[in-house]
Amino acid sequence: MDSKSKIDLQKLPRHIAVIMDGNGRWAKQMGKPRVFGHKNGVQSVREVSEACAELGVEYLTLYAFSTENWSRPAFEVNALMSLLVETVRKEVKTLMDNDIRLEAIGDIEKLPSKTQKALIEGMHTTKDNKRMTLVLALNYSARWEIRKAVQDLSTKVKLGELAAEEITDDMISAHLSTKRIPDPELLIRTSGEHRISNFLLWQIAYAELYFTDIFWPEFRKENLYQAILNYQNRERRFGKTSDQIVLK
Ligand code: FPP
């Protein structure tokens, strides 16, 4: 049996988040500039989006640009921004054909105006699609959104709209940029790095973490199936004992 047919569709993660890493090292290994790696990473984005939609995963979040990425050489930042604009524009038709809605999380207003424009147009065109939501994390950092949530909640407390002791986990979730998106059950990071790098820190409280040595430009559908199978073979206990899970 191939990996895809071994997947239990009743136990699919609703939301998969991916830290796409290793573009630069993959390119270097081939004796090419880093940007070559980013360009080839787009094919992996296509494959993973298609595989998730085919299986029935409802949300796929891709970490495409972190707030820390601004410190890369200007040439690389500009190339990444152009690639984003180009990819979003080019792929809108595929998103429409596959009933996929595009969303973005992060400090979008601080992106170059061309990138913002492409994103806003892409999100608008696909807004009524229902099969899957593809979320691009752009100019995103978890500490940024947690800080913003704390500031917004503090303002409400200051205005007397809320008492500090009434603040719940759900309220905090509702003040994050993922407010309309369920928490991911599975987080994948490619390229052999075992870090979270300021990604969805609040939302991954109970997520299963899956690390693979494969560089992002080489990540294919088969690798995604392997990650899902690995996830399905784990016991998710949420702080309970194994016996409690079996008896549930
Ligand atoms: C990490 O590899 C990758 C990125 C920072 C960018 C990912 C972007 C794409 C795949 C392009 C387009 C994406 C979309 C969603 C349209 P790295 O550069 O950190 O690699 P390294 O760790 O080997 O240096």
Side-chain angles (χ1 to χ4, degrees):
M1 225 182 352
D2 63 1
S3 324
K4 188 182 181 187
S5 50
K6 283 191 208 145
I7 293 175
D8 180 350
L9 297 178
Q10 306 307 314
K11 286 192 197 150
L12 268 186
R14 277 187 80 193
H15 182 180
I16 299 179
V18 186
I19 303 177
M20 311 181 285
D21 196 15
N23 292 352
R25 278 165 287 158
W26 178 81
K28 195 173 171 200
Q29 202 180 255
M30 321 249 308
K32 304 272 191 189
R34 296 175 54 81
V35 172
F36 181 76
H38 299 316
K39 287 189 177 155
N40 279 273
V42 174
Q43 182 55 29
S44 309
V45 170
R46 277 193 208 103
E47 292 242 351
V48 169
S49 306
E50 202 178 290
C52 282
E54 284 165 359
L55 285 170
V57 172
E58 292 171 57
Y59 296 85
L60 170 66
T61 300
L62 303 176
Y63 204 4
F65 195 86
S66 74
T67 48
E68 288 86 7
N69 287 152
W70 293 113
S71 56
R72 293 188 173 199
F75 169 76
E76 185 174 340
V77 172
N78 293 339
L80 269 170
M81 289 299 148
S82 305
L83 190 60
L84 276 161
V85 173
E86 195 187 302
T87 309
V88 170
R89 294 228 164 102
K90 236 203 261 168
E91 302 296 333
V92 165
K93 190 183 174 306
T94 318
L95 295 176
M96 291 307 289
D97 290 346
N98 290 284
D99 199 16
I100 298 173
R101 185 167 69 98
L102 182 69
E103 267 277 6
I105 56 169
D107 199 356
I108 304 303
E109 288 164 20
K110 298 219 175 74
L111 289 170
S113 56
K114 261 193 181 172
T115 316
Q116 280 188 53
K117 196 165 174 276
L119 265 180
I120 292 167
E121 281 172 8
M123 290 193 286
H124 182 75
T125 311
T126 61
K127 70 177 180 359
D128 296 322
N129 291 348
K130 298 274 184 297
R131 188 174 177 201
M132 186 179 87
T133 303
L134 172 64
V135 186
L136 299 184
L138 284 164
N139 196 19
Y140 173 88
S141 97
R143 287 188 172 184
W144 161 79
E145 70 169 356
I146 293 171
R147 184 177 67 237
K148 228 166 83 23
V150 170
Q151 286 166 345
D152 292 349
L153 285 164
S154 313
T155 304
K156 289 185 182 166
V157 171
K158 201 164 130 195
L159 293 172
E161 292 171 13
L162 184 70
E165 57 278 13
E166 283 169 7
I167 295 173
T168 60
D169 285 3
D170 286 346
M171 275 184 214
I172 295 174
S173 297
H175 284 78
L176 299 174
S177 50
T178 48
K179 52 179 164 283
R180 281 178 288 274
I181 302 168
D183 289 345
E185 293 95 341
L186 172 61
L187 171 72
I188 300 172
R189 182 171 189 148
T190 59
S191 91
E193 302 292 352
H194 295 190
R195 282 190 298 276
I196 303 301
S197 301
N198 215 347
F199 189 43
L200 303 174
L201 293 180
W202 174 269
Q203 298 87 336
I204 59 165
Y206 293 103
E208 296 294 331
L209 310 182
Y210 179 85
F211 300 101
T212 168
D213 287 343
I214 294 166
F215 290 139
W216 179 249
E218 284 182 339
F219 198 86
R220 291 291 170 265
K221 287 186 181 184
E222 176 59 27
N223 306 109
L224 179 85
Y225 301 149
Q226 295 289 345
I228 295 176
L229 284 171
N230 182 289
Y231 160 85
Q232 291 190 333
N233 285 322
R234 298 187 197 182
E235 182 182 62
R236 304 189 74 218
R237 292 203 298 270
F238 303 99
K240 295 181 181 171
T241 66
S242 292
D243 292 347
Q244 285 174 303
I245 301 297
V246 173
L247 292 171
K248 199 171 64 154

